[in-house]
């Protein structure tokens, strides 16, 4: 079906071009050598036109209409839109639609720098797309052109590195606080305020880093579905929820999940997606190391835990790991690599069969590993799972609170047991316990009275014991 471009873009629509940061001559070469075979000549020409329309000296934005772009590039509106969308998909342009209260709008094109050659070739999708376009000989030439054999060799040979860069204050020691002080209401403050108002600077960022984004999107997944799948049923609310959960668990992006959805055996007779079959397929593909996974899953930053060492319950590292990592990524960090099928099934069942949230599953896994000496017994995990589900544990904070309370109860029980053991420990002589018979209660009472008898000799009389005095008077009357 022919695309109705006029519903999306008009020649009279305005656009504004911004640069994320200044582009170097080398980066323009990266676009020419690495991106051009993938995006094509029309997208490459549009990227060059947009980049050079921004003022080089100041980085100030440039504006125009799409009609001017059509005339300058000799492209029709539909070809211009296709060229722009290829730039968006490859990560070189970000498009925003800005609108005011009067419904007047314009398009903002944020020009992004390309990936460095090392980042480009490290991306699985981009490197294979380039290889398919230029074949082996040219691909090998590009790898050799951007290789750094000497730097790699020296880095391997001289492994001990020390950063001796001077700090700002080590060099500029003569800088006084009075030189940096701007008093409120002073002439200097008014001058600086006037400069900010009169000459606003371009929104350039020197620290902007180029990155490729293959995030999960419905429009991209639709392209991978086979003929026996109905997009309306596969990409509905319930199925999309499952797909998002699977992508988070296995760290998949749109391209990786799309490769799995190509299999026609995943769909029912009514052309809907069979979630159980998809789960089994992903588990098998992971076990066989054939799953196309992305590296976009957040790591636990620089937390000092990993194989053989777990974060303390209630610590910041514990909470951060539960919230940021998927259960599979957490287990991989614990074991230091790929996990076994048994561990994978334990974690996968908790998330998809038992319906527990990922952060609560992470807390349960860490608690079980710490309690059972880095093992995941099925019976023990099911006991904790049922207990937490009965108590409606839904967040990692609630799980940590329950773990800490349980730990305190165990400590108190152990202390009581230790005290009771000390009290019941028999007297030993020469390494042998001396057996002692327990005396009757009457004899023990008599012995306690005898121990208290010496107190009578300390000047006490019968008048000090009213009960005994009454009994004595009664006996005298009877006599």
């Amino acid at each position: 079906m022919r695309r109705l471009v006029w519903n999306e873009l008009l020649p009279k629509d305005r656009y504004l071009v911004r640069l994320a940061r200044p582009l170097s001559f080398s980066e323009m070469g990266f676009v020419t050598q690495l991106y051009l075979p993938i995006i094509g000549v029309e997208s490459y020409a549009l990227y060059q036109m947009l980049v050079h329309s921004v003022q080089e000296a100041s980085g100030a934005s440039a504006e125009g209409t799409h009609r001017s772009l059509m005339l300058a590039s000799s492209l029709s509106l539909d070809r211009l839109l296709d060229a722009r969308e290829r730039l968006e998909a490859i990560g070189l342009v970000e498009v925003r639609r800005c609108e005011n209260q009067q419904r007047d709008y314009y398009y903002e094109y944020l020009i992004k720098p390309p990936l460095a050659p090392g980042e480009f070739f490290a991306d699985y999708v981009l490197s294979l797309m380039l290889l398919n376009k230029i074949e082996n000989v040219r691909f090998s030439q590009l790898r050799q052109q951007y290789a750094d054999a000497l730097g790699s060799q020296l880095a391997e040979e001289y492994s001990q590195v020390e950063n001796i860069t001077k700090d700002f204050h080590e060099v500029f020691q003569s800088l006084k606080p009075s030189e940096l002080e701007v008093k409120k209401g002073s002439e200097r403050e008014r001058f600086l305020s006037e400069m900010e108002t009169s000459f606003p600077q371009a929104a350039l960022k020197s620290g902007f880093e180029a990155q490729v984004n293959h995030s999960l999107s419905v429009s991209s997944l639709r392209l991978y579905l086979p003929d026996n799948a109905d997009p309306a049923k596969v990409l509905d609310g319930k199925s999309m929820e499952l797909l998002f959960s699977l992508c988070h668990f296995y760290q998949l992006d749109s391209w990786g999940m799309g490769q799995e959805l190509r299999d026609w055996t995943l769909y029912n007779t009514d052309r809907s997606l069979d979630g159980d079959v998809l789960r089994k397929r992903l588990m098998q593909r992971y076990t066989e190391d054939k799953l196309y996974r992305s590296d976009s899953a957040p790591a636990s930053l620089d937390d000092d835990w990993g194989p053989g060492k777990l974060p303390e319950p209630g610590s910041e590292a514990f909470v951060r790991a539960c919230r940021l990592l998927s259960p599979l990524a957490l287990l991989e960090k614990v074991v230091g690599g790929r996990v076994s099928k048994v561990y994978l099934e334990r974690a996968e069942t908790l998330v998809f069969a038992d319906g527990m949230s990922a952060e609560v599953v992470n807390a349960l896994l860490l608690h079980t590993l710490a309690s059972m000496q880095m093992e995941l017994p099925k019976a023990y995990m099911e006991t904790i799972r049922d207990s937490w589900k009965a108590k409606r544990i839904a967040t990692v904070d609630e799980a940590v609170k329950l773990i800490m309370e349980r730990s305190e109860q165990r400590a108190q029980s152990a202390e009581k047991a230790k005290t009771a053991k000390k009290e019941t420990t028999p007297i030993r002589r020469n390494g042998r316990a001396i057996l002692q018979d327990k005396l009757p209660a009457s004899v023990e009472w008599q012995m306690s009275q005898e121990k208290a008898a010496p107190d009578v000799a300390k000047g006490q009389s019968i008048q000090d014991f009213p009960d005994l005095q009454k009994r004595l008077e009664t006996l005298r009357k009877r006599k």
Side-chain angles (χ1 to χ4, degrees), residues 132-346:
N132 294 334
K133 291 289 185 180
I134 62 178
E135 300 299 337
N136 297 355
V137 176
R138 178 57 181 164
F139 188 83
S140 177
Q141 292 175 352
L142 289 177
R143 289 300 300 259
Q144 183 178 1
Q145 177 181 346
Y146 293 114
D148 186 11
L150 178 61
S152 178
Q153 178 182 355
L154 292 178
E156 184 177 355
E157 183 178 355
Y158 299 89
S159 57
Q160 298 181 1
V161 181
E162 180 184 1
N163 191 345
I164 59 174
T165 307
K166 293 290 185 181
D167 185 71
F168 176 82
H169 296 285
E170 292 183 50
V171 179
F172 298 96
Q173 297 179 1
S174 60
L175 193 62
K176 300 179 181 179
S178 58
E179 299 180 30
L180 302 177
E181 182 180 2
V182 179
K183 296 183 179 180
K184 190 175 182 179
S186 62
E187 181 180 356
R188 175 166 292 187
E189 185 195 25
R190 291 193 298 269
F191 174 77
L192 293 176
S193 178
E194 182 181 354
M195 292 297 99
E196 290 289 337
T197 306
S198 303
F199 308 106
Q201 297 300 299
L204 297 177
K205 297 180 180 179
S206 59
F208 183 87
E209 296 182 0
Q211 58 182 359
V212 62
N213 184 18
H214 301 303
S215 59
L216 187 67
S217 63
V218 178
S219 58
S220 59
L221 290 181
R222 193 185 303 271
L223 303 175
Y224 297 104
L225 299 180
D227 295 337
N228 65 322
D230 185 2
K233 295 181 179 180
V234 176
L235 303 178
D236 63 349
K238 188 175 181 180
S239 296
M240 281 303 301
E241 183 179 356
L242 174 63
L243 293 178
F244 272 105
S245 299
L246 289 171
C247 286
H248 176 260
F249 186 88
Y250 288 100
Q251 301 150 26
L252 301 175
D253 53 21
S254 293
W255 188 82
M257 177 58 75
Q259 301 307 309
E260 308 304 327
L261 293 179
R262 288 178 180 273
D263 189 356
W264 62 273
T265 60
L266 299 177
Y267 304 95
N268 299 316
T269 55
D270 60 349
R271 305 179 66 186
S272 62
L273 177 65
D274 193 332
D276 294 335
V277 177
L278 177 60
R279 285 173 49 196
K280 293 179 181 178
R281 174 183 172 84
L282 293 178
M283 187 181 300
Q284 180 181 0
R285 296 272 291 176
Y286 175 85
T287 305
E288 298 174 354
D289 197 12
K290 295 181 179 179
L291 200 60
Y292 300 104
R293 303 173 66 194
S294 65
D295 298 329
S296 59
S300 186
L301 301 181
D302 296 329
D303 293 333
D304 188 17
W305 67 275
K309 185 178 180 181
L310 299 178
E312 292 293 333
S315 63
E316 182 181 355
F318 186 95
V319 176
R320 183 165 59 249
C322 292
R323 288 177 176 171
L324 297 182
L325 297 179
S326 72
L328 180 58
L330 184 138
L331 290 177
E332 287 178 337
K333 186 172 178 63
V334 169
V335 303
R338 302 184 63 82
V339 302
S340 63
K341 187 176 182 180
V342 177
Y343 275 30
L344 176 61
E345 289 178 348
R346 298 279 195 274

Side-chain angles (χ1 to χ4, degrees), residues 31 35-36 38-51 69 75 79-95 109-113 211 213:
V31 177
Y35 286 83
L36 174 57
I38 299 176
I39 61 179
V41 177
E42 294 181 353
S43 297
Y44 175 78
L46 178 60
Y47 184 79
Q48 294 285 348
M49 289 177 56
L50 295 176
V51 168
L69 285 179
L75 295 176
R79 293 169 61 190
L80 182 67
L81 184 58
D82 290 339
R84 190 196 77 184
E85 289 179 346
R86 283 192 293 270
L87 294 176
E88 299 172 26
I90 208 69
L92 295 177
V93 173
E94 183 175 324
V95 182
Y109 296 154
L110 178 64
I111 307 300
K112 296 182 178 181
Q211 58 182 359
N213 184 18

